[in-house]
């Protein structure tokens, strides 16, 4: 369609009555509405049922042109149509010329050889071309710009004409619907195959890139993640999602948000969903990474595919996405709100208010880093808020075992991989520092890869871990295998890092997590002359391809764009670039933005002592015009950075403590949870809880249990003797975050049992609780077999049991007869159909 057509809009309430006048009124003797009818038999300005004259046709055309100009910018439209006349004040002549041309084009409705069914099938653009062929002289006398305006208005008018034909005839509407349904079904088969091809794989960092692919089948590599809420226990993510149609899912970098999105999309596309997720069968998944959205915010449904540059974007049937959503068949996976510039997030939020309301019945999953959006960000739109939980000890074990199983597929190191797996499992259990790092799939993957790469040796600390990962990915693998560079380019590690830093720094400055390939090439062209070792080996295009294919750090998610395999690498390289450029004022100026947090933390880890001091002092300093919430954020960020500073003036450390001491007495539960993100350093600043009220003790417990570090146990021991149910419940729910046996002995063993459900999420916790003598009220949050529960629970003590996981096919609960004192059984609504409950046991169905 002519680009000018995009600028013409016709308001239906004005235009529909005008379009209706072009056609004869329905009545006795009129054309039938149950079969195709020639359009020439329907018009009102010719034939036996004529009610309009040529003058009426001109009047209608004039009103349509006037409305089109009113919806556009009239002066601009007329200047474009006839600039000379407009400058001389003869706008009316230009408008009359376009009106006459449109009247001649509309007159062709009476001569075009076409019925209503065929016209509707053609669509407005092709139908407008047919009218133009039937009236070839309509715009012949118009200047070029005026002719373009006429064409644009004609296209818009034809769209309304075809809508009228559909409304007029149930036969046309039914045929159009049947044709659309067949076309949609055929397209959805192709689209499903595209979703599977595009997302049915995961990158596993560190697998030998020379002898095997760096991606693995999703089914083999996917690790079921767990979610948690403030009000209840953890649950498998698939189970938690099954109970909601709208979910906002929080997760830190590397926690598996995108992996979960991929798994859901592929599972729905394949139709392989069981249990509670079976309700998603037949839905159409839309994977919508926010980083792909261009300026303009959330795309409308007809641009979902083009906005994310999906391969099938140009072949989708007109109106397909709109029909899917209108029928309530969509699964919308909006991934990475945090990857939108902060200024755009309110616009995204508005779209997430409007679209679910406009298209009810669809399922929505929105993901974000926790710091990017506040609590209850979408609560008014009935989005449930869930958090991806850190990997439990069993989850870490499962990941390490899964990783090594995948690694064996490459056929190398087979004699060593078994011992690597065993020693790494032991190291993660024994080393507190390593356990702190292995909290999500990304970090677990890095640890596994480095452990294998370094023959069982692991660096300590996050900075050392990332430096070692860069060394592994950029140099050591190819060099230690004595590989001949396949592209003839042999770059040492440092020039590669310098070039990658340039891309990461550009993304940081421009607030992007993805850049156009052309921009990457321009960036290399600008900086290659200052990196002679790289400049001698190739042009920007060649260096780009080398880094893309040989580093394992870059990827092209769609043709024409490039990003880092994970945001964490981008943040780390950005921090290196900033520190080398001494851009500490630049960091300080942006410290209130949540997507700069990781860059600032890593900059502290990379900086020299005097630079650390300057950066931390800058975060503490008062800044004119700073909002109170931003000032508080900056001070807490300074506190969070302390654990990353290798060397720091004690006076600066003391000032950070002094400035933040009052900030770590939270006055609300939301503030208490927010404090947890600053990490273990917060434990040093929290007040002594022994003399505070129960309400404040609860808030302090929430903060401390938000810090997944065993050092929190030492603080929590000072809360374990509280009689407050809220405090005791908070401590009990946090068990899974810490060393199982130590937490059992130092916390669980001391909690007063009254009215308290003790949660159990894995076999280790079940065993520990039995060792403590059992408890009367137990909440089972992990998936167990009846045999495990009858053996693990203490039968003589159990009086109340809460099965809060999805029982699946195990709905026969006759095994509960093994617990003679059991009198109450609580179940989630999805397990309400159980059978075999022993007589005398009351069943209570609770909220999920």
């Amino acid at each position: 369609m002519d680009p000018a057509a995009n600028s013409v809009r016709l308001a239906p309430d004005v235009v529909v009555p005008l379009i209706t006048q072009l056609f004869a009124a329905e009545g006795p003797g009129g054309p039938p509405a149950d079969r195709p009818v020639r359009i020439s038999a329907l018009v009102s300005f010719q034939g036996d049922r004529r009610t309009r004259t040529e003058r009426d046709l001109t009047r209608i055309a004039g009103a349509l042109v006037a409305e089109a100009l009113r919806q556009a910018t009239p002066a601009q439209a007329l200047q474009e149509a006839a600039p000379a006349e407009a400058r001389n004040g003869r706008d009316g002549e230009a408008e009359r010329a376009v009106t006459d041309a449109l009247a001649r084009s509309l007159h062709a409705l009476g001569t075009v050889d076409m019925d209503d069914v065929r016209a509707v099938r053609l669509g407005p653009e092709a139908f407008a071309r047919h009218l133009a062929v039937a009236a070839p002289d309509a715009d012949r006398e118009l200047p070029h710009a005026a002719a373009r305006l006429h064409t644009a208005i004609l296209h818009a008018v034809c769209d309304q004409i075809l809508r009228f034909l559909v409304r007029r005839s149930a036969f046309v509407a039914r045929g159009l619907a049947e044709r659309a349904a067949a076309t949609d079904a055929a397209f959805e088969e192709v689209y499903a195959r595209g979703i599977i091809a595009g997302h049915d794989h995961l990158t596993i960092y560190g697998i030998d890139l020379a002898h095997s692919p760096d991606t693995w089948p999703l089914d083999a590599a996917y690790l079921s993640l767990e979610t948690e809420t403030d009000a209840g226990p953890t649950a498998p993510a698939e189970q938690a999602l099954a109970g909601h149609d709208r979910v906002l899912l929080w997760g830190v970098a590397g926690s598996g948000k995108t992996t979960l999105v991929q798994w859901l999309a592929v599972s729905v596309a394949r139709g392989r969903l069981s249990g509670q997720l079976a309700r998603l069968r037949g839905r159409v998944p839309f994977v919508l990474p926010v980083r792909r959205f261009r300026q303009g915010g959330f795309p409308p449904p007809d641009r979902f595919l083009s906005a994310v540059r999906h391969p099938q974007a140009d072949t989708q049937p007109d109106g397909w996405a709109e029909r899917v959503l209108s029928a309530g068949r969509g699964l919308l996976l909006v991934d990475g709100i945090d990857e939108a510039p902060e200024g755009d997030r309110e616009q995204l939020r508005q779209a997430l208010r409007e679209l679910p309301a406009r298209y009810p019945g669809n399922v929505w999953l929105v993901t974000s880093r926790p710091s990017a959006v506040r609590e209850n960000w979408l609560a008014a739109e009935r989005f449930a808020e869930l958090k991806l939980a850190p990997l439990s000890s069993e989850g870490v074990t499962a990941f390490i075992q899964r990783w090594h199983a995948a690694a064996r597929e490459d056929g190398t190191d087979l004699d060593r991989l078994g011992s690597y797996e065993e020693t790494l499992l032991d190291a993660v259990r024994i080393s507190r520092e390593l356990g702190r790092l292995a909290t999500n799939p990304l970090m677990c993957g890095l640890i596994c890869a480095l452990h294998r790469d370094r023959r069982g040796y692991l660096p300590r600390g996050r900075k050392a871990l990332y430096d070692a990962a860069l060394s592994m990915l950029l140099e050591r693998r190819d060099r230690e295998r004595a590989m001949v560079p396949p592209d003839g380019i042999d770059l040492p590690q440092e020039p590669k890092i310098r070039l990658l830093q340039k891309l990461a720094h550009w993304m940081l400055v421009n607030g992007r997590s993805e850049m156009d390939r052309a921009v990457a090439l321009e960036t290399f062209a600008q900086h290659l002359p200052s990196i002679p070792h790289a400049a001698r080996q190739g042009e920007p295009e060649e260096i780009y391809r080398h880094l893309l294919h040989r580093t394992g750090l870059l990827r092209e998610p769609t043709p024409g764009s490039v990003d880092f395999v994970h945001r964490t690498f981008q943040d780390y390289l950005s921090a290196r670039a900033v520190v080398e450029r001494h851009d500490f004022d630049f960091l300080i100026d942006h410290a209130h933005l949540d997507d700069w947090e990781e860059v600032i933390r890593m900059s502290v880890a990379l900086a020299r002592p005097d630079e650390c001091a300057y950066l931390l002092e800058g975060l503490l300093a008062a800044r004119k015009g700073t909002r109170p919430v931003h000032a508080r954020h900056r001070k807490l960020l300074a506190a969070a950075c302390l654990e990353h500073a290798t060397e720091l003036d004690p006076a600066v450390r003391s000032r950070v403590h002094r400035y933040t001491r009052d900030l770590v007495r939270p006055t609300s539960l939301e503030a208490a949870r927010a404090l947890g993100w600053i990490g273990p350093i917060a434990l040093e600043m929290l007040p002594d809880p022994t003399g505070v009220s129960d309400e404040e003790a609860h808030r302090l417990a929430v903060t401390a249990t938000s810090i997944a570090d065993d050092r929190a146990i030492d603080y929590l021991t000072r809360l374990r003797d509280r009689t407050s149910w809220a405090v005791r419940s908070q401590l009990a729910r946090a068990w899974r975050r810490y060393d199982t046996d130590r937490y059992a002995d130092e916390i669980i063993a001391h909690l007063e049992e009254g009215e308290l459900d003790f949660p159990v999420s894995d076999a280790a916790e079940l065993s520990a609780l039995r060792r403590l003598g059992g408890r009367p009220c137990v909440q089972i949050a992990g998936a167990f077999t009846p045999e495990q529960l009858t053996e693990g629970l203490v039968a003589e003590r159990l009086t109340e049991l809460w099965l809060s996981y999805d029982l699946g096919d195990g709905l026969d609960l006759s095994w509960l007869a093994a617990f003679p004192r059991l009198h109450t059984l609580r179940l989630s609504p999805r397990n309400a159909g159980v059978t075999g409950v022993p007589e005398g046991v009351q069943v209570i169905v609770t909220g999920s």
Side-chain angles (χ1 to χ4, degrees), residues 17 57 129 204 213 216 228 230 309 323 354 365 397 411 443 564 585 587 589 598 678 730 762 828 837:
L57 196 57
R129 287 195 293 270
I204 302 180
W216 300 86
E228 59 185 359
D230 296 320
R309 283 155 275 171
R323 290 190 290 275
E354 295 174 356
L365 173 65
T397 297
M443 297 307 295
F564 285 88
D585 288 327
L587 286 179
D589 288 342
E598 286 300 309
I678 75 173
Q730 185 67 34
D762 58 42
S828 62
V837 177

Side-chain angles (χ1 to χ4, degrees), residues 475-485:
E475 184 171 26
R476 289 189 60 194
R477 282 200 168 277
D478 286 353
R479 202 167 293 282
E480 290 179 9
R481 290 196 307 270
M483 273 191 62
V484 176

Side-chain angles (χ1 to χ4, degrees), residues 100-260:
D100 290 342
L102 182 61
R104 289 192 290 271
S105 295
L106 294 178
H107 191 273
L109 289 168
T111 61
V112 68
D113 184 19
M114 188 179 301
D115 61 44
D116 51 2
V117 173
R118 184 184 171 203
V120 170
R121 286 180 177 176
L122 282 176
E125 293 180 34
F127 183 59
R129 287 195 293 270
H130 273 267
L131 292 186
V133 169
D137 297 330
D139 59 357
R140 181 167 294 178
E141 301 300 324
L142 294 178
H144 176 69
R148 289 178 65 245
L149 180 61
H150 162 261
T151 299
I153 297 174
L154 181 61
H155 284 175
V157 169
C158 284
D159 179 67
Q160 293 295 334
I161 288 173
L162 298 187
R163 292 174 188 271
F164 168 83
L165 295 177
V166 172
R167 290 194 300 271
R168 173 196 168 272
S169 170
F171 178 81
V172 173
R174 185 168 59 253
L176 183 65
E178 291 172 355
R179 182 171 180 267
T183 304
D184 288 356
F187 173 75
E188 285 173 21
E189 289 186 14
V190 176
Y191 177 70
R193 291 196 294 270
I195 287 288
I196 295 168
H199 298 286
D200 189 25
H201 56 271
L202 293 177
T203 297
I204 302 180
Y205 298 101
I207 296 294
D208 191 319
L209 299 178
H211 304 297
S212 70
D214 59 357
T215 57
W216 300 86
L218 189 63
D219 285 345
Y222 177 68
L223 180 71
S224 180
L225 304 170
E226 290 192 326
T227 63
E228 59 185 359
T229 65
D230 296 320
T234 61
E238 303 84 12
Q239 175 182 328
L241 294 174
H244 306 283
D245 286 338
R246 302 178 189 180
V247 172
L248 172 59
L249 182 69
W250 292 339
V252 299
S255 59
K257 300 184 296 296
T258 299
T259 300
L260 178 60

Side-chain angles (χ1 to χ4, degrees), residues 792-805:
L793 294 169
V794 179
E796 296 76 19
R797 294 210 64 196
L798 187 68
T799 59
E800 297 184 27
L801 181 63
W802 182 0
L803 299 178
S804 61
Y805 66 99

Side-chain angles (χ1 to χ4, degrees), residues 608-663:
R608 296 178 302 185
D610 59 326
E611 295 168 336
C612 279
Y614 183 85
L615 180 52
L616 293 175
E617 294 274 22
L619 293 176
L620 296 176
R623 296 171 63 86
K624 186 177 180 180
T626 299
R627 295 169 55 192
V629 65
H630 288 162
R632 180 177 182 274
H633 179 93
R634 296 160 70 87
K635 290 181 174 64
L636 289 175
L637 180 57
C641 288
L642 288 180
E643 67 172 321
H644 304 296
T646 304
E647 181 181 350
L648 183 64
D649 183 345
V652 176
R653 186 180 295 271
S654 177
R655 275 195 293 277
V656 173
H657 279 280
R658 188 170 66 253
Y659 271 84
T660 54
R661 187 179 298 117
D662 292 338
L663 297 178

